[in-house]
């Protein structure tokens, strides 16, 4: 397996971003241990590699149509190599978390979030991606748990309402919208692989309408993030990011309702919009750390 194929299969860029979000939540929740940050970063990164690799393993039929350049489809990586990579990654990820708990750098609740992400993500990859609505919900929950992993690594008990919870909720809703649109775009491959989505079961128009509803509900809830963030002197940084994200999400939602051919751009721009809030969140955490 060549390095380029490994990077494409493991989606390392996504894993790095996910790991940075986890560290941001850890810092905002009050964590300051450099060792804990390293353990959280690596366990998050390796978990993402596990989930992406197993997704490609079980997704190979859809990818023959929707992603013909995928490493497994092109034969750049064998199924056995992909399994070896994924299993090694998840074992090390869990081991690092357990090690952090034993050494006292991470709280025990963190392993609950990590295992939840692994189980939900793998369940989606293995079979539940074929179950309508459940498939979208599992993706949205798994990706949004990123905001809670760092939070739960700090608190010795189940954390009460905190900024990461609000980000988790908004992320879940926005991701649901994006996943519904993704299903509408990937209708051909999903039908061939037996994957049931709202788009190929009830029609693209219904999928688009639901996607817009989820997205706009996320926008309506997002001011709570701003209210909570402004309790901190550096909260303005996150607030500006949230406002920019909201503006983009509202614009692309209206555009999608007017023209269903906007699906491809909606998918790309919604991810970009969410990235703005993530970047602002990371900057906010950095400023909190420096202060």
């Amino acid at each position: 397996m060549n390095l380029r194929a490994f990077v494409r299969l493991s989606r390392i860029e996504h894993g790095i971003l996910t790991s940075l979000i986890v560290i941001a939540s850890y810092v905002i929740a009050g964590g300051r241990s450099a060792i804990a940050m390293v353990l959280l970063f690596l366990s998050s990164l390796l978990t993402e590699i596990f989930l992406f690799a197993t997704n490609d393993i079980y997704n190979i039929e859809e990818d023959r149509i929707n992603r013909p350049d995928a490493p497994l489809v092109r034969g750049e990586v064998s199924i056995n190599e992909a399994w070896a990579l994924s299993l090694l990654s998840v074992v090390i990820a869990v081991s690092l978390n357990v090690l952090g708990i034993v050494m006292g750098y991470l709280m025990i609740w963190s392993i609950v979030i990590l295992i939840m992400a692994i189980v939900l993500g793998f369940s989606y990859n293995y079979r539940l991606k074929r179950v309508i609505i459940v498939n979208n919900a599992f993706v949205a929950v798994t990706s949004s748990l990123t905001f809670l992993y760092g939070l739960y690594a700090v608190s010795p008990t189940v954390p009460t309402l905190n900024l990461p919870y609000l980000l988790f909720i908004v992320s879940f809703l926005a991701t649901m919208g994006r996943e519904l649109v993704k299903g509408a775009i990937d209708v051909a491959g999903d039908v061939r692989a037996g994957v049931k989505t709202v788009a190929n079961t009830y029609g693209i128009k219904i999928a688009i309408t639901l996607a817009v509803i989820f997205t706009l509900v996320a926008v309506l809830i997002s001011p709570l993030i701003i209210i909570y963030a402004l309790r901190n002197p550096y909260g303005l940084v996150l607030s500006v990011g949230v406002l920019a994200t909201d503006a983009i999400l509202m614009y692309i939602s209206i555009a999608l309702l007017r023209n269903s051919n906007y699906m491809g751009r909606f998918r790309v721009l919604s991810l970009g919009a969410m990235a703005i809030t993530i970047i602002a969140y990371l900057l906010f955490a950095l400023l909190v750390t420096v202060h």
Side-chain angles (χ1 to χ4, degrees), residues 122-240:
F122 183 76
S123 297
Y124 166 83
N125 292 341
Y126 176 63
R127 191 171 298 277
L128 293 180
K129 71 183 305 176
R130 291 170 170 76
V131 181
I132 189 170
I133 289 295
V134 172
N135 43 21
N136 302 136
F138 268 48
V139 171
V141 171
T142 303
S143 61
S144 301
L145 281 174
T146 303
F147 290 103
L148 300 186
Y149 187 33
L151 170 64
Y152 275 64
V154 177
S155 179
T157 59
V158 177
T160 55
L161 181 63
N162 206 318
L163 183 60
Y165 277 117
L166 297 174
L167 286 159
F168 168 83
I169 294 170
V170 171
S171 173
F172 169 80
L173 293 167
T175 304
M176 279 292 291
R178 186 171 180 272
E179 285 298 306
L180 285 163
V181 170
K182 180 178 180 294
I185 295 172
D186 296 340
V187 166
D190 289 341
V191 169
R192 175 175 173 177
V195 176
K196 289 187 177 181
T197 64
V198 172
N200 64 32
T201 302
Y202 298 107
I204 290 178
K205 186 175 181 180
I206 296 295
I208 287 175
T209 301
L210 284 176
V212 169
I213 290 172
F214 273 107
T215 303
L216 293 182
V217 171
V219 172
L220 289 174
I221 294 176
S222 64
L224 293 176
I225 297 175
I226 295 174
I227 293 172
Y228 204 100
L230 289 177
R231 296 180 179 181
N232 186 283
Y234 302 109
L236 183 62
V237 173
L238 178 57
S239 300
V240 171

Side-chain angles (χ1 to χ4, degrees), residues 83-98:
W83 270 119
L85 171 66
S86 61
L87 293 176
L88 181 63
S89 297
V90 74
V91 168
I92 296 176
V94 173
S95 298
L96 288 173
N97 185 279
V98 172

Side-chain angles (χ1 to χ4, degrees), residues 243-259:
L243 289 173
T245 297
D246 287 348
I248 295 173
L249 291 179
M250 286 190 290
Y251 172 79
I252 62 177
S253 293
I254 294 171
L256 182 59
L257 286 176
R258 289 179 174 177
N259 184 1

